[in-house]
Amino acid sequence: TLQSSRLVCFRDWKLWYMKLASFEDETVVLHLCKKFFDESRYSSLPYSEDSVRKMFYSIVGGSIRGVILLTTKDEKYTGILVGVESKLPFSDVRVASELMMYIEDRKTRDFFHLLDAYEYWATHILHSDVIQLSTLSDNPTLEKYYLRRGYVKSEEAYTKGI
């Protein structure tokens, strides 16, 4: 099945693995989501492991259409991308919405591998009409990279704790 698939890729003459999360990856997903939270601008909010667990089981169990991609290298999990299917409130197009992406070692090419695999999932598995990506910081290099890949900056989000 799709959830138990393992993609093996060769890039830059190095072997790396991309794995679709399965039920056995719960601990890894919880760990990487917590690391993302701790390093993000959301870290001032209360953390809920139960919310992460519900999201994990909803996606891996198939009750919502989504994907959890994990990168592995040398028997260690190094990154995660979580995406779900959504719709825009004013259109019936299918939207692949990236909820979070976290890479432990930003000096690796895991970001590019995750993005390639996510675009493949969105295009060939979900058959999306639109792919949405997000970023938690002003990053001109990332913005230029997204634009080069054909993305268009469509909106910015602002948050306020209340």
Side-chain angles (χ1 to χ4, degrees), residues 139-157:
N139 185 331
T141 304
L142 183 59
E143 184 175 347
K144 286 178 189 175
Y145 179 72
Y146 284 163
L147 292 172
R148 263 197 332 267
R149 282 187 79 127
Y151 290 89
V152 176
K153 188 174 186 176
S154 55
E155 62 182 71
E156 291 186 45

Side-chain angles (χ1 to χ4, degrees), residues 37-159:
F37 173 82
D38 289 340
E39 295 178 24
S40 76
R41 292 183 181 167
Y42 295 119
S43 62
S44 63
L45 300 174
Y47 179 75
S48 171
E49 188 173 288
D50 285 341
S51 290
V52 177
R53 191 173 276 112
K54 285 177 190 171
M55 177 265 319
F56 172 78
Y57 279 100
S58 294
I59 292 173
V60 175
S63 63
I64 62 172
R65 288 184 59 144
V67 68
I68 301 174
L69 296 166
L70 300 167
T71 55
T72 64
K73 180 143 172 65
D74 301 327
E75 307 287 324
K76 182 178 181 278
Y77 289 94
T78 56
I80 184 171
L81 186 147
V82 178
V84 296
E85 177 185 44
S86 64
K87 293 201 180 228
L88 299 171
F90 46 79
S91 178
D92 288 331
V93 300
R94 280 192 182 146
V95 179
S97 298
E98 175 246 330
L99 299 179
M100 65 162 277
M101 184 183 325
Y102 176 75
I103 292 118
E104 285 192 316
D105 183 356
R106 288 169 182 83
K107 294 176 186 166
T108 67
R109 301 202 39 93
D110 284 356
F111 168 81
F112 304 106
H113 302 319
L114 281 170
L115 188 55
D116 287 344
Y118 182 64
E119 285 183 346
Y120 181 88
W121 171 80
T123 305
H124 299 287
I125 307 298
L126 189 60
H127 303 290
S128 298
D129 301 298
V130 175
I131 300 172
Q132 285 182 329
L133 300 173
S134 59
T135 180
L136 291 177
S137 63
D138 291 329
N139 185 331
T141 304
L142 183 59
E143 184 175 347
K144 286 178 189 175
Y145 179 72
Y146 284 163
L147 292 172
R148 263 197 332 267
R149 282 187 79 127
Y151 290 89
V152 176
K153 188 174 186 176
S154 55
E155 62 182 71
E156 291 186 45
Y158 297 87
T159 58

